Amino acid sequence: MTAIRLRDVTLDDLEILEGWAGSPEARGEFNDFGPSEGGTSLREALEQGPLRNERNGEMLIVLEPEGTPIGTVGWHEVRYGPNAGSRAWNIGIALLPEHRGQGHGATAQRVLADYLFETTDVNRVEAQTDVENHAEQRALEKAGFTREGTARGSQFRAGEYHDILTFARLRTDT
């Protein structure tokens, strides 16, 4: 299998990301969340520096050794209580169709979880996926995540509500 690494998104990547965002094939059926809800444009955000802060982030997945971008991983903060110790990261992934089914998703999500454990003090990294997205379920399990349960009707995507499965890795998981 080809090696992958994660790297910061730069302004030079803007055209690639905008192309992917405008392509239903690139997004895939499980990432059809409709248009973004305003806020800062991607260009404005990239002009400020890396797409990472104390609440969320996004990085490119690139093939090594050539450095070809094949998708993105992202994360955002979730809380299970009001204190900082109850904070966790929720992660997501988008891979270009021609790079799916090759183990890159599992590797990228394992590398991202490792990065988040190394650079923050959270105890939990979690991901949700559609109950029908069997490939992503396998990828998360290969990345060391444990299936925890179903959240019925919790995700509004492609014009309707969907059940999703939650997977998680704890800092103490090997």
Side-chain angles (χ1 to χ4, degrees), residues 89-144:
W89 295 117
N90 181 286
I91 68 171
I93 188 168
L95 280 177
L96 293 175
E98 61 269 25
H99 296 285
R100 296 176 190 153
Q102 300 174 42
H104 300 316
T107 301
Q109 291 172 109
R110 179 183 43 77
V111 169
L112 178 60
D114 291 346
Y115 167 80
L116 293 170
F117 285 134
E118 290 168 10
T119 60
T120 70
D121 62 355
V122 299
N123 186 55
R124 176 184 174 87
V125 175
E126 64 181 37
Q128 279 87 27
T129 191
D130 192 281
V131 295
E132 299 298 322
N133 193 345
H134 303 291
E136 174 61 357
Q137 293 169 39
R138 285 189 303 277
L140 287 165
E141 289 170 346
K142 287 179 182 177

Short mmCIF file of all heavy atoms in Angstrom, two decimals, residues 89-144:
data_model
loop_
_atom_site.label_atom_id
_atom_site.label_comp_id
_atom_site.label_asym_id
_atom_site.label_seq_id
_atom_site.Cartn_x
_atom_site.Cartn_y
_atom_site.Cartn_z
N TRP A 89 -12.91 15.13 20.30
CA TRP A 89 -12.87 15.52 18.89
C TRP A 89 -13.75 14.58 18.09
O TRP A 89 -13.71 13.37 18.27
CB TRP A 89 -11.44 15.43 18.34
CG TRP A 89 -10.47 16.38 18.94
CD1 TRP A 89 -9.36 16.07 19.67
CD2 TRP A 89 -10.50 17.81 18.87
NE1 TRP A 89 -8.71 17.21 20.05
CE2 TRP A 89 -9.39 18.29 19.57
CE3 TRP A 89 -11.37 18.73 18.29
CZ2 TRP A 89 -9.11 19.65 19.70
CZ3 TRP A 89 -11.10 20.07 18.42
CH2 TRP A 89 -9.99 20.53 19.11
N ASN A 90 -14.52 15.15 17.17
CA ASN A 90 -15.30 14.39 16.21
C ASN A 90 -14.62 14.58 14.86
O ASN A 90 -14.39 15.72 14.44
CB ASN A 90 -16.74 14.89 16.16
CG ASN A 90 -17.58 14.09 15.19
OD1 ASN A 90 -17.46 14.24 14.00
ND2 ASN A 90 -18.42 13.24 15.74
N ILE A 91 -14.27 13.47 14.19
CA ILE A 91 -13.53 13.56 12.94
C ILE A 91 -14.38 13.13 11.75
O ILE A 91 -15.37 12.43 11.90
CB ILE A 91 -12.23 12.73 12.98
CG1 ILE A 91 -12.52 11.22 13.04
CG2 ILE A 91 -11.36 13.18 14.15
CD1 ILE A 91 -11.29 10.35 12.86
N GLY A 92 -13.96 13.57 10.57
CA GLY A 92 -14.60 13.18 9.33
C GLY A 92 -13.57 13.09 8.22
O GLY A 92 -12.45 13.60 8.35
N ILE A 93 -13.95 12.44 7.14
CA ILE A 93 -13.03 12.22 6.02
C ILE A 93 -13.78 12.33 4.70
O ILE A 93 -14.97 12.01 4.64
CB ILE A 93 -12.34 10.84 6.14
CG1 ILE A 93 -11.24 10.67 5.09
CG2 ILE A 93 -13.37 9.71 6.07
CD1 ILE A 93 -10.34 9.47 5.34
N ALA A 94 -13.07 12.77 3.68
CA ALA A 94 -13.57 12.75 2.30
C ALA A 94 -12.40 12.33 1.41
O ALA A 94 -11.36 12.97 1.41
CB ALA A 94 -14.09 14.12 1.89
N LEU A 95 -12.57 11.23 0.70
CA LEU A 95 -11.55 10.74 -0.23
C LEU A 95 -12.09 10.80 -1.65
O LEU A 95 -13.28 10.53 -1.88
CB LEU A 95 -11.20 9.28 0.06
CG LEU A 95 -10.25 8.96 1.19
CD1 LEU A 95 -10.11 7.45 1.35
CD2 LEU A 95 -8.90 9.59 0.97
N LEU A 96 -11.22 11.13 -2.60
CA LEU A 96 -11.62 11.10 -4.00
C LEU A 96 -11.98 9.67 -4.39
O LEU A 96 -11.37 8.71 -3.89
CB LEU A 96 -10.48 11.62 -4.88
CG LEU A 96 -10.14 13.09 -4.70
CD1 LEU A 96 -8.91 13.44 -5.54
CD2 LEU A 96 -11.32 13.96 -5.11
N PRO A 97 -12.98 9.51 -5.26
CA PRO A 97 -13.47 8.16 -5.60
C PRO A 97 -12.38 7.18 -6.03
O PRO A 97 -12.41 6.01 -5.64
CB PRO A 97 -14.45 8.41 -6.75
CG PRO A 97 -14.87 9.83 -6.60
CD PRO A 97 -13.71 10.55 -5.98
N GLU A 98 -11.42 7.64 -6.81
CA GLU A 98 -10.38 6.72 -7.32
C GLU A 98 -9.41 6.26 -6.24
O GLU A 98 -8.60 5.36 -6.47
CB GLU A 98 -9.63 7.36 -8.49
CG GLU A 98 -8.90 8.63 -8.16
CD GLU A 98 -9.72 9.90 -8.37
OE1 GLU A 98 -10.97 9.87 -8.32
OE2 GLU A 98 -9.09 10.96 -8.56
N HIS A 99 -9.50 6.82 -5.05
CA HIS A 99 -8.61 6.44 -3.95
C HIS A 99 -9.34 5.71 -2.82
O HIS A 99 -8.73 5.39 -1.80
CB HIS A 99 -7.87 7.66 -3.42
CG HIS A 99 -6.97 8.27 -4.44
ND1 HIS A 99 -5.77 7.71 -4.80
CD2 HIS A 99 -7.14 9.37 -5.22
CE1 HIS A 99 -5.22 8.45 -5.75
NE2 HIS A 99 -6.02 9.46 -6.02
N ARG A 100 -10.62 5.46 -3.01
CA ARG A 100 -11.39 4.72 -2.00
C ARG A 100 -11.13 3.23 -2.15
O ARG A 100 -10.77 2.75 -3.22
CB ARG A 100 -12.88 5.02 -2.17
CG ARG A 100 -13.21 6.48 -1.90
CD ARG A 100 -14.66 6.82 -2.15
NE ARG A 100 -14.83 8.27 -2.10
CZ ARG A 100 -15.76 8.95 -2.74
NH1 ARG A 100 -16.66 8.31 -3.47
NH2 ARG A 100 -15.81 10.25 -2.65
N GLY A 101 -11.32 2.49 -1.07
CA GLY A 101 -11.18 1.04 -1.11
C GLY A 101 -9.75 0.54 -1.15
O GLY A 101 -9.51 -0.63 -1.45
N GLN A 102 -8.77 1.41 -0.85
CA GLN A 102 -7.36 1.02 -0.90
C GLN A 102 -6.68 1.10 0.46
O GLN A 102 -5.46 0.98 0.56
CB GLN A 102 -6.63 1.93 -1.90
CG GLN A 102 -7.18 1.83 -3.31
CD GLN A 102 -6.55 2.83 -4.24
OE1 GLN A 102 -5.34 3.05 -4.20
NE2 GLN A 102 -7.36 3.46 -5.07
N GLY A 103 -7.45 1.36 1.51
CA GLY A 103 -6.89 1.44 2.85
C GLY A 103 -6.44 2.84 3.26
O GLY A 103 -6.03 3.05 4.40
N HIS A 104 -6.54 3.80 2.34
CA HIS A 104 -6.10 5.16 2.67
C HIS A 104 -6.97 5.81 3.74
O HIS A 104 -6.46 6.56 4.58
CB HIS A 104 -6.10 6.05 1.42
CG HIS A 104 -5.21 5.56 0.32
ND1 HIS A 104 -3.93 5.10 0.53
CD2 HIS A 104 -5.42 5.45 -1.01
CE1 HIS A 104 -3.39 4.74 -0.62
NE2 HIS A 104 -4.28 4.94 -1.57
N GLY A 105 -8.26 5.52 3.73
CA GLY A 105 -9.16 6.11 4.72
C GLY A 105 -8.84 5.64 6.13
O GLY A 105 -8.78 6.43 7.07
N ALA A 106 -8.61 4.34 6.28
CA ALA A 106 -8.26 3.81 7.60
C ALA A 106 -6.95 4.41 8.08
O ALA A 106 -6.84 4.84 9.24
CB ALA A 106 -8.16 2.28 7.54
N THR A 107 -5.97 4.46 7.19
CA THR A 107 -4.67 5.02 7.57
C THR A 107 -4.78 6.49 7.96
O THR A 107 -4.25 6.92 8.99
CB THR A 107 -3.65 4.85 6.43
OG1 THR A 107 -3.53 3.45 6.13
CG2 THR A 107 -2.29 5.41 6.81
N ALA A 108 -5.48 7.27 7.15
CA ALA A 108 -5.62 8.71 7.42
C ALA A 108 -6.32 8.96 8.74
O ALA A 108 -5.92 9.84 9.51
CB ALA A 108 -6.36 9.39 6.27
N GLN A 109 -7.36 8.19 9.04
CA GLN A 109 -8.10 8.39 10.29
C GLN A 109 -7.29 7.94 11.50
O GLN A 109 -7.34 8.56 12.56
CB GLN A 109 -9.46 7.71 10.21
CG GLN A 109 -10.35 8.45 9.21
CD GLN A 109 -11.64 7.75 8.92
OE1 GLN A 109 -12.70 8.21 9.34
NE2 GLN A 109 -11.60 6.64 8.20
N ARG A 110 -6.49 6.90 11.35
CA ARG A 110 -5.60 6.48 12.44
C ARG A 110 -4.54 7.55 12.68
O ARG A 110 -4.28 7.94 13.83
CB ARG A 110 -4.93 5.14 12.12
CG ARG A 110 -3.97 4.68 13.22
CD ARG A 110 -3.23 3.39 12.87
NE ARG A 110 -2.74 3.32 11.52
CZ ARG A 110 -1.65 3.94 11.05
NH1 ARG A 110 -0.93 4.71 11.86
NH2 ARG A 110 -1.27 3.79 9.80
N VAL A 111 -3.94 8.06 11.60
CA VAL A 111 -2.91 9.10 11.72
C VAL A 111 -3.52 10.36 12.34
O VAL A 111 -2.90 11.00 13.20
CB VAL A 111 -2.27 9.40 10.34
CG1 VAL A 111 -1.41 10.65 10.38
CG2 VAL A 111 -1.45 8.19 9.89
N LEU A 112 -4.73 10.74 11.93
CA LEU A 112 -5.37 11.93 12.50
C LEU A 112 -5.65 11.74 13.99
O LEU A 112 -5.36 12.63 14.80
CB LEU A 112 -6.66 12.27 11.76
CG LEU A 112 -7.43 13.47 12.32
CD1 LEU A 112 -6.58 14.75 12.29
CD2 LEU A 112 -8.73 13.66 11.56
N ALA A 113 -6.20 10.60 14.37
CA ALA A 113 -6.47 10.36 15.80
C ALA A 113 -5.16 10.41 16.59
O ALA A 113 -5.10 11.04 17.67
CB ALA A 113 -7.16 9.02 15.99
N ASP A 114 -4.10 9.79 16.08
CA ASP A 114 -2.80 9.83 16.76
C ASP A 114 -2.34 11.28 16.91
O ASP A 114 -1.87 11.68 17.99
CB ASP A 114 -1.75 9.03 15.99
CG ASP A 114 -1.99 7.53 16.02
OD1 ASP A 114 -2.81 7.05 16.84
OD2 ASP A 114 -1.36 6.84 15.20
N TYR A 115 -2.46 12.07 15.85
CA TYR A 115 -2.06 13.48 15.88
C TYR A 115 -2.85 14.25 16.95
O TYR A 115 -2.27 15.01 17.72
CB TYR A 115 -2.28 14.10 14.50
CG TYR A 115 -2.20 15.60 14.47
CD1 TYR A 115 -0.96 16.25 14.44
CD2 TYR A 115 -3.35 16.38 14.46
CE1 TYR A 115 -0.88 17.64 14.41
CE2 TYR A 115 -3.28 17.77 14.44
CZ TYR A 115 -2.05 18.39 14.41
OH TYR A 115 -1.99 19.76 14.40
N LEU A 116 -4.15 14.03 17.01
CA LEU A 116 -4.99 14.75 17.98
C LEU A 116 -4.64 14.34 19.42
O LEU A 116 -4.62 15.19 20.32
CB LEU A 116 -6.47 14.54 17.67
CG LEU A 116 -6.94 15.18 16.37
CD1 LEU A 116 -8.35 14.71 16.01
CD2 LEU A 116 -6.85 16.69 16.43
N PHE A 117 -4.34 13.07 19.64
CA PHE A 117 -3.92 12.64 20.97
C PHE A 117 -2.56 13.23 21.34
O PHE A 117 -2.31 13.57 22.49
CB PHE A 117 -3.88 11.12 21.08
CG PHE A 117 -5.23 10.46 21.18
CD1 PHE A 117 -5.53 9.36 20.40
CD2 PHE A 117 -6.22 10.95 22.03
CE1 PHE A 117 -6.78 8.74 20.50
CE2 PHE A 117 -7.47 10.35 22.13
CZ PHE A 117 -7.74 9.23 21.35
N GLU A 118 -1.67 13.33 20.36
CA GLU A 118 -0.32 13.86 20.61
C GLU A 118 -0.31 15.36 20.86
O GLU A 118 0.54 15.86 21.59
CB GLU A 118 0.61 13.54 19.44
CG GLU A 118 0.95 12.08 19.31
CD GLU A 118 1.62 11.73 17.99
OE1 GLU A 118 2.00 12.66 17.22
OE2 GLU A 118 1.75 10.53 17.70
N THR A 119 -1.23 16.10 20.23
CA THR A 119 -1.16 17.56 20.27
C THR A 119 -2.21 18.21 21.15
O THR A 119 -2.18 19.44 21.33
CB THR A 119 -1.28 18.15 18.84
OG1 THR A 119 -2.53 17.74 18.28
CG2 THR A 119 -0.12 17.68 17.96
N THR A 120 -3.13 17.43 21.70
CA THR A 120 -4.15 17.97 22.60
C THR A 120 -4.30 17.03 23.79
O THR A 120 -3.74 15.93 23.79
CB THR A 120 -5.53 18.12 21.89
OG1 THR A 120 -6.09 16.82 21.64
CG2 THR A 120 -5.40 18.90 20.58
N ASP A 121 -5.08 17.46 24.77
CA ASP A 121 -5.25 16.64 25.96
C ASP A 121 -6.57 15.86 25.99
O ASP A 121 -6.94 15.31 27.02
CB ASP A 121 -5.13 17.50 27.22
CG ASP A 121 -6.20 18.58 27.30
OD1 ASP A 121 -6.99 18.75 26.35
OD2 ASP A 121 -6.24 19.27 28.33
N VAL A 122 -7.28 15.77 24.88
CA VAL A 122 -8.56 15.06 24.88
C VAL A 122 -8.35 13.57 25.17
O VAL A 122 -7.29 13.01 24.87
CB VAL A 122 -9.34 15.21 23.55
CG1 VAL A 122 -9.69 16.66 23.27
CG2 VAL A 122 -8.60 14.58 22.40
N ASN A 123 -9.37 12.95 25.72
CA ASN A 123 -9.35 11.53 26.01
C ASN A 123 -10.07 10.73 24.95
O ASN A 123 -9.93 9.51 24.89
CB ASN A 123 -10.01 11.26 27.38
CG ASN A 123 -9.90 9.82 27.78
OD1 ASN A 123 -8.81 9.27 27.84
ND2 ASN A 123 -11.03 9.18 28.06
N ARG A 124 -10.83 11.40 24.07
CA ARG A 124 -11.72 10.70 23.14
C ARG A 124 -11.66 11.35 21.76
O ARG A 124 -11.76 12.57 21.64
CB ARG A 124 -13.14 10.75 23.69
CG ARG A 124 -14.20 10.15 22.81
CD ARG A 124 -15.59 10.37 23.46
NE ARG A 124 -16.65 9.95 22.59
CZ ARG A 124 -17.14 8.71 22.52
NH1 ARG A 124 -16.65 7.77 23.32
NH2 ARG A 124 -18.11 8.40 21.69
N VAL A 125 -11.53 10.52 20.72
CA VAL A 125 -11.70 10.93 19.33
C VAL A 125 -12.79 10.04 18.78
O VAL A 125 -12.74 8.81 18.92
CB VAL A 125 -10.40 10.76 18.51
CG1 VAL A 125 -10.64 11.09 17.04
CG2 VAL A 125 -9.28 11.64 19.08
N GLU A 126 -13.81 10.65 18.18
CA GLU A 126 -14.96 9.88 17.71
C GLU A 126 -15.27 10.22 16.25
O GLU A 126 -14.79 11.21 15.72
CB GLU A 126 -16.19 10.16 18.57
CG GLU A 126 -16.67 11.59 18.50
CD GLU A 126 -17.86 11.85 19.39
OE1 GLU A 126 -17.93 11.29 20.51
OE2 GLU A 126 -18.74 12.62 18.97
N ALA A 127 -16.06 9.35 15.64
CA ALA A 127 -16.53 9.56 14.27
C ALA A 127 -17.92 8.95 14.15
O ALA A 127 -18.23 7.98 14.84
CB ALA A 127 -15.60 8.91 13.27
N GLN A 128 -18.73 9.55 13.31
CA GLN A 128 -20.02 8.97 12.99
C GLN A 128 -20.07 8.69 11.49
O GLN A 128 -19.47 9.41 10.70
CB GLN A 128 -21.18 9.91 13.35
CG GLN A 128 -21.55 9.89 14.80
CD GLN A 128 -20.74 10.85 15.61
OE1 GLN A 128 -20.26 11.85 15.11
NE2 GLN A 128 -20.55 10.56 16.88
N THR A 129 -20.82 7.65 11.15
CA THR A 129 -21.02 7.32 9.74
C THR A 129 -22.41 6.74 9.55
O THR A 129 -22.99 6.18 10.48
CB THR A 129 -19.92 6.36 9.23
OG1 THR A 129 -20.02 6.28 7.80
CG2 THR A 129 -20.03 4.98 9.85
N ASP A 130 -22.92 6.87 8.35
CA ASP A 130 -24.24 6.36 8.01
C ASP A 130 -24.29 4.85 8.23
O ASP A 130 -23.29 4.15 7.97
CB ASP A 130 -24.54 6.69 6.53
CG ASP A 130 -25.99 6.46 6.17
OD1 ASP A 130 -26.36 5.29 5.95
OD2 ASP A 130 -26.75 7.45 6.12
N VAL A 131 -25.43 4.35 8.67
CA VAL A 131 -25.58 2.91 8.90
C VAL A 131 -25.37 2.10 7.62
O VAL A 131 -25.03 0.92 7.68
CB VAL A 131 -26.94 2.55 9.54
CG1 VAL A 131 -27.06 3.15 10.94
CG2 VAL A 131 -28.10 2.97 8.67
N GLU A 132 -25.54 2.74 6.46
CA GLU A 132 -25.34 2.06 5.18
C GLU A 132 -23.91 2.16 4.66
O GLU A 132 -23.56 1.53 3.66
CB GLU A 132 -26.29 2.64 4.13
CG GLU A 132 -27.77 2.48 4.48
CD GLU A 132 -28.19 1.02 4.58
OE1 GLU A 132 -27.70 0.19 3.77
OE2 GLU A 132 -29.00 0.70 5.47
N ASN A 133 -23.06 2.97 5.29
CA ASN A 133 -21.70 3.18 4.81
C ASN A 133 -20.77 2.11 5.39
O ASN A 133 -19.96 2.36 6.29
CB ASN A 133 -21.21 4.59 5.16
CG ASN A 133 -19.94 4.96 4.44
OD1 ASN A 133 -19.27 4.12 3.88
ND2 ASN A 133 -19.62 6.25 4.47
N HIS A 134 -20.87 0.92 4.85
CA HIS A 134 -20.12 -0.23 5.36
C HIS A 134 -18.61 -0.08 5.16
O HIS A 134 -17.83 -0.53 6.00
CB HIS A 134 -20.64 -1.53 4.74
CG HIS A 134 -22.10 -1.72 4.96
ND1 HIS A 134 -22.63 -2.00 6.20
CD2 HIS A 134 -23.16 -1.62 4.12
CE1 HIS A 134 -23.95 -2.09 6.11
NE2 HIS A 134 -24.30 -1.86 4.86
N ALA A 135 -18.21 0.56 4.07
CA ALA A 135 -16.77 0.77 3.82
C ALA A 135 -16.17 1.64 4.92
O ALA A 135 -15.08 1.35 5.44
CB ALA A 135 -16.55 1.38 2.44
N GLU A 136 -16.85 2.71 5.29
CA GLU A 136 -16.33 3.59 6.34
C GLU A 136 -16.35 2.90 7.70
O GLU A 136 -15.44 3.09 8.51
CB GLU A 136 -17.13 4.89 6.39
CG GLU A 136 -16.77 5.82 7.54
CD GLU A 136 -15.31 6.32 7.55
OE1 GLU A 136 -14.51 5.92 6.69
OE2 GLU A 136 -14.98 7.10 8.46
N GLN A 137 -17.34 2.07 7.96
CA GLN A 137 -17.37 1.33 9.21
C GLN A 137 -16.14 0.43 9.32
O GLN A 137 -15.48 0.38 10.37
CB GLN A 137 -18.65 0.49 9.30
CG GLN A 137 -19.90 1.35 9.43
CD GLN A 137 -21.17 0.54 9.24
OE1 GLN A 137 -21.26 -0.59 9.69
NE2 GLN A 137 -22.15 1.13 8.56
N ARG A 138 -15.80 -0.28 8.22
CA ARG A 138 -14.61 -1.12 8.22
C ARG A 138 -13.34 -0.29 8.40
O ARG A 138 -12.42 -0.68 9.12
CB ARG A 138 -14.53 -1.94 6.92
CG ARG A 138 -15.51 -3.10 6.87
CD ARG A 138 -15.25 -4.02 5.69
NE ARG A 138 -15.31 -3.34 4.39
CZ ARG A 138 -16.41 -3.07 3.70
NH1 ARG A 138 -17.58 -3.44 4.18
NH2 ARG A 138 -16.35 -2.46 2.54
N ALA A 139 -13.28 0.87 7.72
CA ALA A 139 -12.11 1.74 7.82
C ALA A 139 -11.89 2.20 9.27
O ALA A 139 -10.77 2.19 9.77
CB ALA A 139 -12.23 2.94 6.89
N LEU A 140 -12.97 2.61 9.92
CA LEU A 140 -12.85 3.06 11.31
C LEU A 140 -12.38 1.93 12.22
O LEU A 140 -11.54 2.13 13.10
CB LEU A 140 -14.16 3.66 11.80
CG LEU A 140 -14.49 5.03 11.21
CD1 LEU A 140 -15.95 5.39 11.44
CD2 LEU A 140 -13.56 6.09 11.76
N GLU A 141 -12.92 0.74 12.03
CA GLU A 141 -12.48 -0.40 12.84
C GLU A 141 -11.00 -0.69 12.60
O GLU A 141 -10.25 -0.93 13.54
CB GLU A 141 -13.35 -1.62 12.57
CG GLU A 141 -14.75 -1.44 13.15
CD GLU A 141 -15.75 -2.50 12.72
OE1 GLU A 141 -15.47 -3.26 11.75
OE2 GLU A 141 -16.82 -2.56 13.34
N LYS A 142 -10.55 -0.64 11.33
CA LYS A 142 -9.13 -0.86 11.01
C LYS A 142 -8.25 0.23 11.62
O LYS A 142 -7.09 0.00 11.91
CB LYS A 142 -8.92 -0.90 9.50
CG LYS A 142 -9.44 -2.17 8.86
CD LYS A 142 -9.21 -2.14 7.35
CE LYS A 142 -9.78 -3.37 6.71
NZ LYS A 142 -9.63 -3.33 5.23
N ALA A 143 -8.81 1.43 11.80
CA ALA A 143 -8.07 2.55 12.39
C ALA A 143 -8.05 2.49 13.91
O ALA A 143 -7.52 3.39 14.55
CB ALA A 143 -8.67 3.87 11.91
N GLY A 144 -8.67 1.45 14.50
CA GLY A 144 -8.63 1.28 15.95
C GLY A 144 -9.82 1.84 16.69
O GLY A 144 -9.82 1.90 17.92
#
